[in-house]
């Protein structure tokens, strides 16, 4: 249940951002934006920063002496607080960082559900909706532009451990 909730909520708050121009009408979710190996290197730095922020907030929550302090520390772990800091560490504009983050997360989550990477997520396909079942049974890279899929495949070995560390960390807090 936690995993399904995490997946449902894991995309972050995109607010009033518009979908990429490449999105085709009627497609499941939206078409993925293109990103490069350099974007992925930047994303790796940003996600490491998010991990540091979440860890510090968890420590602060554990030692908080008032409900207000504990609540503030818990909120400091939320994506709404960590993503801007990750974007800053990545030296990317926040909307760009979010796009790369969401694209990588979608692929890695799918690969984890498929058992193709040794991540912390699992899914009960018996209870999944038809779109999720189709996603999990398909190619995790299918929604990415070909050059973006190549870049992500090139950088996966370095990014997967960081992504797994982040997912485990936020699952513990959840």
């Amino acid at each position: 249940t936690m995993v399904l909730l995490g997946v449902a909520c894991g995309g972050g708050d995109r607010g009033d951002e518009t979908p990429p121009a490449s999105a085709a009408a009627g497609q499941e979710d939206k078409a993925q934006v293109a990103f490069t190996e350099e974007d992925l290197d930047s994303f790796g730095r940003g996600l490491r920063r998010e991990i540091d922020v979440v860890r510090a907030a968890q420590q602060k929550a554990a030692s908080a002496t008032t409900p207000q302090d504990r609540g503030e520390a818990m909120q400091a772990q939320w994506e709404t607080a960590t993503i801007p800091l990750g974007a800053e560490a990545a030296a990317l504009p926040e909307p760009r960082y979010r796009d790369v983050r969401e694209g990588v997360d979608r692929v890695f989550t799918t690969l984890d559900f498929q058992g193709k990477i040794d991540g912390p997520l699992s899914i009960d396909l018996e209870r999944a909706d038809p779109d999720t079942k189709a996603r999990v049974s398909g190619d995790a890279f299918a929604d990415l532009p070909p050059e973006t899929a190549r870049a992500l495949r090139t950088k996966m070995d370095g990014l997967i451990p960081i992504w797994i560390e982040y997912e485990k960390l936020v699952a513990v807090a959840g």
Side-chain angles (χ1 to χ4, degrees):
T1 306
M2 170 91 64
V3 171
L4 290 176
L5 178 60
V7 171
C9 299
D13 178 16
R14 294 188 57 90
D16 61 356
E17 292 178 36
T18 56
S22 62
Q27 275 190 332
E28 175 196 333
D29 297 328
K30 63 184 179 296
Q32 296 291 323
V33 297
F35 45 83
T36 65
E37 288 185 33
E38 291 78 21
D39 291 328
L40 293 168
D41 289 338
S42 295
F43 165 71
R45 287 190 304 275
L47 194 58
R48 284 190 187 281
R49 175 69 174 128
E50 287 191 67
I51 289 168
D52 292 343
V53 170
V54 171
R55 276 204 178 107
Q58 287 177 348
Q59 290 173 351
K60 185 176 178 183
S63 64
T65 56
T66 68
Q68 181 176 345
D69 289 345
R70 194 170 8 270
E72 289 172 3
M74 294 304 292
Q75 289 178 10
Q77 298 174 54
W78 296 350
E79 289 179 347
T80 53
T82 65
I83 287 175
L85 298 172
E88 182 181 306
L92 291 173
E94 188 176 329
R96 179 69 178 159
Y97 180 76
R98 283 180 183 276
D99 284 343
V100 174
R101 187 183 193 277
E102 289 172 8
V104 170
D105 184 67
R106 181 172 174 85
V107 171
F108 288 179
T109 297
T110 301
L111 291 172
D112 196 5
F113 286 165
Q114 292 172 338
K116 293 181 179 176
I117 63 174
D118 191 23
L121 306 179
S122 62
I123 189 168
D124 180 356
L125 287 175
E126 295 287 323
R127 297 178 181 202
D129 63 86
D131 288 340
T132 301
K133 288 178 183 180
R135 174 180 158 200
V136 172
S137 69
D139 178 4
F141 296 87
D143 292 338
L144 297 177
E147 60 280 354
T148 299
R150 278 191 293 279
L152 185 52
R153 282 185 172 102
T154 298
K155 295 294 183 174
M156 277 178 55
D157 288 345
L159 290 174
I160 287 172
I162 301 166
W163 179 83
I164 289 171
E165 183 178 357
Y166 176 81
E167 290 297 320
K168 287 180 178 178
L169 192 61
V170 296
V172 167

